[in-house]
Amino acid sequence: WRDPLCEAFIEGAESIGIPRNPDYNGAYQEGTSYVQRTATGKLRMSSARAFLKPARNRSNLHVITNAHATKILLDGKRAIGVAYNRGGANGRPDQVYAGREVIIAGGTINSPQLLQLSGIGPGKLLNELGIEVRHELSGVGENLRDHYGTRLTARAKNVKTINELARGPKLVGEIAKYFLGRRSILELGPTLVYCFWHSDETVRNADLQVSFTPASYKEGLQAWLDDEPGFTLATWQQRPESL
Ligand SMILES: Cc1cc2nc3c(=O)[nH]c(=O)nc-3n(C[C@H](O)[C@H](O)[C@H](O)COP(=O)(O)OP(=O)(O)OC[C@H]3O[C@@H](n4cnc5c(N)ncnc54)[C@H](O)[C@@H]3O)c2cc1C
């Protein structure tokens, strides 16, 4: 999806020294890029469909769904398996052992929670909660950082934006184009362009992110596109220092 407003944003960034980057998931992140999506042809895919489904028949892959991990099993300080409840949080307790390694991927909140429930974390806190300390590690659960994001919107003139294409007869046209295999707004995610940059020349750690999309919401509303053509920039600090 190449769009005149997106190109104007990218060219504006170039004019102040921020280059185009063909792959922000590649060797370096900084620069402006069209947003990448997980898709097969025109169909957007979930991670499960894109990566897990093709590997489902591997003999060394066994997926247990609706399993609630309750504890990492340890041999001394080495993780050797996971205790879980089969069938959900109140399901039947079971255990699984690792041939090589245990990878915890429970997300921002639940990964440190599972570590703490397993006795890995700040000793004082675990003692207060009545959890046996297996590995004293003071940082576990102490570093949640939240970033504040600002959204800036503006009306646009003499250019087509997603706002007008997403309603009435034009939307019917977009749906038809999608099924005819032509360029359509139905293929798009919520953001079209990313820009990563740094606030400090000496650090250059891509601590700033700006996203751009040729669409805008009605004032004060989250999910209603504006009636007039418009565009949106969202900006945030990637690595906030306050906890
Ligand atoms: C509003 C929002 C917008 C974002 N936008 C972007 C973006 O534009 N670009 C970007 O790169 N990132 C973005 N992120 C961040 C991105 O979503 C996360 O970094 C990413 O999803 C983390 O993946 P994960 O697999 O580590 O964890 P998650 O996707 O959080 O998955 C963790 C899974 O573990 C499960 N789980 C938790 N506890 C247990 C347990 N005890 N037993 C069993 N299962 C458990 C959860 O149910 C969940 O399914 C955004 C996040 C949010 C909230």
Side-chain angles (χ1 to χ4, degrees), residues 36-58:
Q36 297 172 359
R37 287 166 294 153
T38 315
T40 299
K42 295 174 83 67
L43 280 184
R44 289 167 61 191
M45 307 282 274
S46 66
S47 305
R49 281 179 64 202
F51 301 110
L52 188 57
K53 200 168 167 225
R56 281 303 298 273
N57 291 332
R58 288 187 193 170

Side-chain angles (χ1 to χ4, degrees), residues 67-69 105-107 110 194:
H68 185 89
N110 291 104
Y194 276 162

Side-chain angles (χ1 to χ4, degrees), residues 87-142:
N90 299 316
R92 180 170 56 82
D94 209 338
Q95 297 185 339
V96 62
Y97 287 88
R100 191 170 294 176
E101 62 182 331
V102 176
I103 297 171
I104 305 299
T108 310
I109 308 281
N110 291 104
S111 286
Q113 186 217 21
L114 189 61
L115 288 166
Q116 290 184 354
L117 289 173
S118 311
I120 303 167
K124 185 170 171 292
L125 176 75
L126 299 187
N127 281 328
E128 280 166 14
L129 295 169
I131 299 170
E132 183 196 350
V133 180
R134 302 293 305 271
H135 183 53
E136 162 88 45
L137 212 53
S138 60
V140 174
E142 296 296 320

Side-chain angles (χ1 to χ4, degrees), residues 1-10 34-35 152-156 159-166 183 185 188-194 211-217 225-226 228-234:
W1 184 280
R2 296 292 176 265
D3 176 272
L5 268 181
C6 293
E7 284 298 318
F9 172 76
I10 293 170
Y34 279 94
V35 167
L152 314 168
T153 55
R155 290 258 165 92
V159 69
K160 241 189 244 168
T161 67
I162 293 170
N163 293 1
E164 312 86 80
L165 298 176
R183 189 183 112 136
I185 60 167
L188 300 176
T191 297
L192 264 57
V193 180
Y194 276 162
S211 68
F212 179 88
T213 204
S216 57
Y217 295 127
L225 291 173
D226 203 348
E228 307 292 330
F231 59 88
T232 305
L233 284 112

Side-chain angles (χ1 to χ4, degrees), residues 62 64 73 80-84 94-98 102:
H62 180 57
I64 305 171
L73 301 172
I80 55 165
V82 173
Y84 67 98
D94 209 338
Q95 297 185 339
V96 62
Y97 287 88
V102 176

Side-chain angles (χ1 to χ4, degrees), residues 32 45 76 151 170 178 208:
T32 51
M45 307 282 274
R151 201 168 69 192
K170 287 216 167 87
Y178 180 77
L208 299 177

